[in-house]
Amino acid sequence: MKLAADLLLDPLSFLLIACCLVGLALVLRFRAPRVLDGLYLAGGIAGALFLIAILVIILMNMSARWLLIPFPGSTDYAGYCMAASSCFALAYALNNGAHIRVNLVLGRLGSWRRYGEVWCYGVAALMALVFARYAVKTNIWSEKLNEISQGQDKTEIWIPQLSMTIGAILLALALIDHLVRLLVTDHDGVAKTALGEGEA
Amino acid sequence: MTISTAPGMTLPPVNKRLIGAAVAIALGMGAWFLLHSIGEEDVWAKTGLFIFILFFLLGSGVWVGLALMAVAYIGLDVFVPGIAGDRMLTTIWSSSSSWTLTALPLFIWMGEILFRTRLSEDMFRGLSPWMAGLPGGLLHTNVVGCTVFAAVSGSSAATLTTVGKMSIPELRRRGYPEFMTIGTLAGSATLGLMIPPSLTLIVYGVTINESITKLFIAGIVPGLVLATMFMGYCAAWYYLFPSQRPARDPGMSFSAKLWNSRFLIPVICLILAVIGSMYMGLATPTEAAAIGVLGALILAALQGSLNWQTFTESLMGATRTSAMIALILMGAAALAQSMGFTGLPRALAEWIASMDLSVFTLIAALTIFFIIIGCFLDGISSVVLTMAVIEPMVNIPAFQDLGFSMIWFGIFVVVVVEMAQITPPIGFNLFVLQGMIGKEIGYIAKTAIPMFLIMVLMVAILVMFPELATWLPETARSTPG
């Protein structure tokens, strides 16, 4: 019974989100491309701000410990900032070619490269959509069930989870945007891949 | 590894592309139904298909993090139908909002700040007067420079660029053989992975739930031993090929040497503060990283290289790299969960145990396995991809009795992953060097072969003397909080 309900409901809501994002990507890319690129950059900047927030929280935590002032839940807040910093910046990192991939086969495809890229962006966009769809669902349920953090911070989980939801949607949007452009324009994927910078 | 379209490439017409996309979708859906049509009891067929899809997605060039996540989702959906997505998201959320992980972006940021200072020039100017007198001469600046920069940065590519930017032209000008210059640089830059702070070790620690402080401390001695062996290689060249020796630089007085390294000394103080605070138990890795970022900012400001542009560049660079690693870790967390349902790790561990291999055979086999994996994947991806399967295999009493703890295994994995950095076809250091000097990959790989052999020797030494990695962390004080 549960399975049947899932089959009926899941693909529908999934398709709905997918269509919305494809539409959004299409309209924005050809009407207002600056808005779209601005969105990715804004995600990157938000990620950077949360990175600074991690630093500030940890420095505060250390000084609080030395001054013997309690700072309950600092580690949880730093964790939320970590999630926010990485999730918000996912699309931005993609657009700057920071995400790692194996280019061994792609690089040898020659004139078939575009098909390879379509495949990669297609699979990635599909996965990012699934990610975004369940992130939205998890987020909604955390709010409905009023889930509270187990740590000392007692935060309502849905608030920090928003960062993951927004970040996942942005990533899906960015991948769809690239896929659409690969299919109908001369665009050939992100400008460069991680070489050096993205490696660790 | 670069995306470059061939100049004469013609674009297929749009309708053809759409047909191509439709074929891909049909293929994907076919695979999906095939996977779901396999009977419940046929676990091996499912697992086999699972592994095949994993390597197919990775090999075809799908971004590592998303490929792992896709395989995890498919696996979960096959083994626990209905609630796969929800389970996956819960895992992803708890793994990406973990407190231990916060050390990662901060250490990346610290390296990015110092990468954008004048450290590169200061490194050469500060180190060369001290190294000139050693047998092997200025080649040692490559090794020592890499060791020092490795201690502020967890990335071997950043280490390579920082040290190479100055040392390659300077060594060329002085007439050092190209083969030695490039080889020692390619090899010693891999120390960035071993000497703390090491991003690979953070990821390893987070993946298998080990103390990152202990892993960091464990990396110090093997890192220094490896650096010493690299220096030994330079000295060996000096004595074996006297004809290749370039003319010596004129000597300097002690005070002149000190004056030349005036910018290097604060960096070394910063390194000692960061590593020392962890070793003494004064700070957790995250706190040490925060001190490191603060110190790096102060250092850059004192040097006059801190302005709005370098600050934002370092910050955005760190954000990008940590988002990249975070995506891989999200995929890896989901995959580990999914793997658990397949029962593959346990089955494999039992199978290995039933074969009654000696520990040393197993280590040799794992070394070869990691070198092969490392030929195609970067270090972090190979660690997260394999640890879920390998941990139950090696986290057994037979290993621990011989002193091969999970801490030791982390150091072992890092050495092997280091080797992969300089082996074709995918060796990141080779690509970075190619970008810097414009020689063929094949030639660069050849110069790195001696360094590769030294690392093989290092693995042997680690196996014979596991205390190299395990002794120092035991003497460290535990961290608060």
Side-chain angles (χ1 to χ4, degrees), chain A residues 77-119:
Chain A
Y77 294 126
Y80 300 144
C81 287
M82 174 70 209
S85 167
S86 39
C87 289
F88 276 130
L90 285 176
Y92 168 72
L94 176 87
N95 248 22
N96 282 278
H99 288 303
I100 279 198
R101 63 200 294 206
V102 180
N103 278 2
L104 205 59
V105 178
L106 270 183
R108 309 226 157 131
L109 283 180
S111 58
W112 289 87
R113 166 125 203 177
R114 176 171 291 270
Y115 291 100
E117 291 284 0
V118 167
W119 157 258

Side-chain angles (χ1 to χ4, degrees), chain A residues 3 26 47 59 86 126 129 188:
Chain A
L3 193 73
L26 269 173
L59 290 177
S86 39
L126 200 61
L129 272 172
D188 54 3

Side-chain angles (χ1 to χ4, degrees), chain B residues 236-368:
Chain B
W237 160 80
Y238 182 81
Y239 289 118
L240 288 177
F241 302 98
S243 57
Q244 291 181 5
R245 290 180 199 171
R248 282 209 174 192
D249 280 6
M252 264 188 214
S253 71
F254 185 75
S255 57
K257 283 180 184 173
L258 265 188
W259 179 245
N260 259 316
S261 43
R262 65 190 180 281
F263 289 119
L264 213 52
I265 292 165
V267 175
I268 290 173
C269 293
L270 179 63
I271 294 169
L272 291 179
V274 169
I275 298 178
S277 64
M278 280 188 281
Y279 180 75
M280 308 278 279
L282 295 174
T284 61
T286 311
E287 290 166 348
I291 298 171
V293 171
L294 216 56
L297 282 173
I298 293 170
L299 230 105
L302 289 179
Q303 241 192 26
S305 49
L306 183 70
N307 50 40
W308 179 245
Q309 195 199 349
T310 52
F311 177 76
T312 48
E313 271 178 11
S314 68
L315 182 60
M316 293 313 272
T319 309
R320 277 198 299 271
T321 309
S322 60
M324 178 275 287
I325 298 180
L327 185 63
I328 296 179
L329 285 174
M330 288 178 199
L335 187 67
Q337 184 195 26
S338 185
M339 282 271 202
F341 281 108
T342 65
L344 181 71
R346 204 162 19 90
L348 207 59
E350 277 165 14
W351 180 62
I352 298 272
S354 72
M355 287 207 302
D356 229 9
L357 292 174
S358 82
V359 169
F360 300 101
T361 328
L362 189 57
I363 288 177
L366 284 175
T367 309
I368 294 168

Side-chain angles (χ1 to χ4, degrees), chain A residues 6 58 65 86 92 98-103 113-114 119-120 127 137 182-183 185-186 188 193 197-199, chain B residues 1 3 5 11 17 60-61 63-64 70 82 86 89 97 105 156-157 193 282 286-287 320 324 326 421 428:
Chain A
D6 261 5
I58 288 163
R65 200 171 70 212
S86 39
Y92 168 72
H99 288 303
I100 279 198
R101 63 200 294 206
V102 180
N103 278 2
R113 166 125 203 177
R114 176 171 291 270
W119 157 258
C120 290
M127 189 54 229
K137 189 177 171 193
L182 266 172
L183 285 172
T185 68
D186 286 355
D188 54 3
T193 38
E197 276 191 43
E199 173 272 351
Chain B
M1 291 302 290
I3 287 190
T5 39
L11 291 170
R17 286 185 216 160
S60 66
W63 292 265
V64 174
D86 307 281
L89 255 287
S97 60
S156 80
L193 302 187
L282 295 174
T286 311
E287 290 166 348
R320 277 198 299 271
M324 178 275 287
Q421 297 277 324
F428 277 93

Side-chain angles (χ1 to χ4, degrees), chain B residues 386-400:
Chain B
T386 52
M387 279 326 289
V389 177
I390 289 182
E391 199 206 340
M393 210 186 282
V394 293
N395 203 356
I396 48 172
F399 256 71
Q400 276 143 14

Side-chain angles (χ1 to χ4, degrees), chain B residues 179 183 233 422 442 444-455:
Chain B
F179 187 88
Y233 170 64
I422 51 171
I444 302 172
K446 220 183 288 169
T447 65
I449 290 175
M451 311 303 274
F452 182 84
L453 295 178
I454 291 176
M455 288 187 222

